[in-house]
Amino acid sequence: MPKVPQTFFDALAVRTWCGLALAALGRAREEIDAINVYPVADGDTGTNLYLTLESACTAVEAAFAGHEAGAGPGGTSGASAVPTLADATRAMAHGALIGARGNSGTILAQLLRGMAQVLAADADGERAHIDGPGLCLALRHAADSARQAVAHPVEGTVLTVASAAADAATEARGGDCGTVARAAYEGASAALAATPGQLAVLARAGVVDAGGRGLLAVLGALVETFTGEAPGGGATGAARVRVPVRAEVAQASAPDGPDECADDDSGPAFEVIYLLEAEDAAVDRLRERLDRLGDSLVVVGGDGLWNVHVHVDDAGAAVEAGVEAGRPYRIRITHFGVGDVHTGGAGRPLRERVQRAVVAVVPGVGLAGLYGEAGATTVLARPGEPPASGELVEAVRRAHAREVVLLPNDADLRHTAAAAAEQARTEGIRVALIPTRSAVQGIAALAVHEPERRFDEDVVAMTSAAGATRYAELVVAERQSWTMAGICQTGDVLGLIDGDVAVIGSDVTATAEAVIDRMLQAGGEMVTLVLGDEAPESIAAHLEARVREGYLAVDTVVYRGGRQGALLLIGVE
């Protein structure tokens, strides 16, 4: 990374800015988390901004690495070791889009995308740099596009701070990049200090807006990129961005507004985020549907790829809306019911760690909702797209607990989950991995979970419940193959018990009956059925009647799993 100030905004400046901004957010991360009270006081705004920008930085570094490789020995003749401004800014925007976390991170991704649309706007993509007026236009477009991406913009938030930065930059548009960046920073700083006068929830907590505070750190890094000094003085890369945190405004000065209940318990229960491949027209319809389902709706992106963020009570409906619009993936569902917010000795709200939490991998949106209602933090696994250990570590962090019980719910995820648990332990979190091999075993474990008892006792009880639950699933054979039950043909219905093919049939209901009969031969008290969205509509009622008539002492419970890969999951306790 260059160690000297940048005169113009070129590809090297993009790289320098991303690195400095990531460092600034890293220093301010805990502070920003601590003042996060709007729109949900979940104490993760600093973390979400950091992870979003980290993804942007990774993409920019990859763009540079690709050009450096092409220009080296054996590389393409005449290739430059430095990407164009267009390539660098597009990489930055794309990285932020695919890595956006939370409400604040999603808005930051759109701010960076808005800037990139101006910085890379020349027809041939070969412009080497832009000057102060160009940077001014980029900041203006960023603020406007971010505001348009939010369904119901609220003043006193990061949107207000971004608009103020763009307004101040416009007044300095005749200067160089350093002058424009400093004006934007100073305008944003003044707007940030005024946010408690615009949002009552901020005034009551005595803090400024957390998202705006994060944006100010990013703008401070922009100043440092072009001047060599962070606002307030200091050498490049060494100075901290000095900004107000505690609000200097009295509680009574904040107006009553739409946030009046933002810090109570009346808001939606889940945060749902996913990437979506879809056409513009489908996304317009999606916005309307999600706006009816919940709040804090932000949809950013374009050119066929979008990042969707919304707070809802029905997480399954929010994901299903994405399925109707296109192809959602990297789906993250977070339950807001864990953790409390209290006011610390310094007068700042701090999110209090809960003593214990459960983190579970689930195969369908219906089960994600079920687990979430039980208080678990979930990671949604799409068929053929198992989560990486990093996603599990992030979920453990989101659970914000001293002790975490991890349920992989898939035999193939055991090693991935073990790696995630080991990583979380290095961060001071006590993690117990229960080797659940199916979501129905996870349901059984969660049913006996009691966070009030000793950790070891709770883990033993949950492990025993999971181990006492036999599991099965019905899937459709994709090809002819040999199995333990004989040769199956493409399209056959396979009944797998404890991971092995036990029944081959042509009818889903008949195959399910045969599987349940085999499982209940060894005894059982409860049958759990989790229906996939491709299972026959009548199968639940038919199987319930079958169990009721043939096994008088056995109860049946039915859940809707949604798109879970299997036609049916079966558990017998």
Side-chain angles (χ1 to χ4, degrees), residues 108-475:
L108 176 61
Q110 187 65 13
L111 287 167
L112 296 179
R113 176 179 170 82
M115 290 190 69
Q117 287 174 327
V118 172
L119 297 175
D122 61 316
D124 57 9
E126 297 298 326
R127 178 168 56 187
H129 64 258
I130 65 164
D131 53 13
L135 176 58
C136 173
L137 290 175
L139 291 169
R140 175 81 274 161
H141 185 65
D144 292 345
S145 62
R147 189 171 287 268
Q148 292 167 5
V150 176
H152 301 285
V154 174
E155 298 307 326
T157 65
V158 62
L159 299 176
T160 303
V161 176
S163 294
D167 292 342
T170 299
E171 295 180 4
R173 60 182 176 273
D176 59 15
C177 286
T179 301
V180 170
R182 189 175 294 279
Y185 174 85
E186 292 173 352
S189 182
L192 178 64
T195 54
Q198 297 170 292
L199 276 177
V201 64
L202 300 179
R204 287 195 295 273
V207 297
V208 296
D209 178 67
R213 166 66 179 91
L215 178 59
L216 193 64
V218 173
L219 291 172
L222 188 64
V223 175
E224 195 171 353
T225 298
F226 294 117
T227 68
E229 294 185 353
T236 300
R240 291 174 181 258
V241 178
R242 298 172 184 174
V243 297
V245 174
R246 285 294 310 280
E248 301 299 331
V249 59
Q251 175 176 333
S253 68
D256 292 335
D259 71 300
E260 192 62 31
C261 297
D263 56 345
D264 65 20
D265 296 326
S266 62
F270 299 99
E271 177 185 59
V272 178
I273 306 173
Y274 50 81
L275 291 177
L276 177 69
E277 294 177 357
E279 299 298 324
D280 291 3
V283 171
D284 290 340
R285 293 190 296 271
L286 175 65
R287 283 193 178 99
E288 294 177 1
R289 181 171 176 185
L290 292 180
D291 195 26
R292 294 192 297 268
L293 285 174
D295 59 30
S296 296
L297 173 60
V298 185
V299 181
V300 304
D303 302 320
L305 181 62
W306 310 82
N307 192 304
V308 179
H309 170 280
V310 68
H311 294 171
V312 293
D313 282 320
D314 190 342
V319 177
E320 292 298 338
V323 172
E324 292 183 7
R327 176 181 176 265
Y329 61 104
R330 290 196 186 179
I331 303 167
R332 294 188 298 276
I333 300 174
T334 304
H335 187 253
F336 288 131
V338 295
D340 300 309
V341 174
H342 72 282
T343 300
R348 294 185 298 174
L350 303 172
R351 185 180 174 194
E352 189 176 80
R353 282 188 180 273
V354 295
Q355 182 61 30
R356 191 172 309 153
V358 175
V359 173
V361 180
V362 292
V365 294
L367 284 178
L370 174 67
Y371 273 74
E373 289 170 5
T377 297
T378 59
V379 178
L380 194 62
R382 289 175 53 83
E385 297 181 15
S389 62
E391 293 180 72
L392 300 186
V393 172
E394 182 191 338
V396 170
R397 292 170 181 153
R398 283 191 283 121
H400 207 64
R402 299 180 184 90
E403 302 166 340
V404 171
V405 179
L406 183 57
L407 306 175
N409 291 340
D410 187 335
D412 293 336
L413 284 179
R414 184 169 181 176
H415 294 300
T416 300
E422 189 62 32
Q423 173 61 39
R425 292 183 188 116
T426 66
E427 300 177 11
I429 304 170
R430 189 178 184 188
V431 181
L433 170 62
I434 297 179
T436 49
R437 294 171 290 176
S438 170
V440 291
Q441 288 189 322
I443 292 173
L446 200 56
V448 301
H449 169 54
E450 291 185 13
E452 293 78 17
R453 62 187 167 196
R454 291 179 54 238
F455 186 61
D456 292 340
E457 293 176 354
D458 197 29
V459 171
V460 168
M462 295 177 72
T463 303
S464 297
T469 302
R470 299 190 68 193
Y471 66 96
E473 63 178 343
L474 264 64
V475 298

